[in-house]
Amino acid sequence: MERKTAYRALLVFVLILVFFYTLGIVGAIPFRVSYYITILFLFLFVALRMDYHRGRRR
């Protein structure tokens, strides 16, 4: 998959997660959902940093 397409799909995924995270903070859904989304964001951040540092820079 082309890098631009992959990042666009990742952007949509992150925006959906942010929506659910916000609902958890507000109290509309259990806070545990926000907790797991935070962990997922951390793993995603680490994975993207590893990809960047492996030499796959733009």
Side-chain angles (χ1 to χ4, degrees):
M1 185 179 332
E2 187 179 322
R3 182 178 294 268
K4 187 184 254 186
T5 306
Y7 280 125
R8 285 182 182 165
L10 190 60
L11 175 64
V12 171
F13 178 66
V14 166
L15 289 176
I16 291 168
L17 287 178
V18 167
F19 175 74
F20 283 114
Y21 180 82
T22 305
L23 287 178
I25 296 295
V26 170
I29 59 176
F31 183 73
R32 185 171 297 280
V33 174
S34 293
Y35 173 76
Y36 289 122
I37 289 174
T38 302
I39 293 172
L40 184 62
F41 278 144
L42 289 173
F43 282 126
L44 186 61
F45 174 76
V46 169
L48 288 173
R49 293 295 294 172
M50 286 175 44
D51 182 51
Y52 178 78
H53 285 293
R54 282 191 188 159
R56 297 180 185 163
R57 299 178 177 111
R58 288 190 226 174

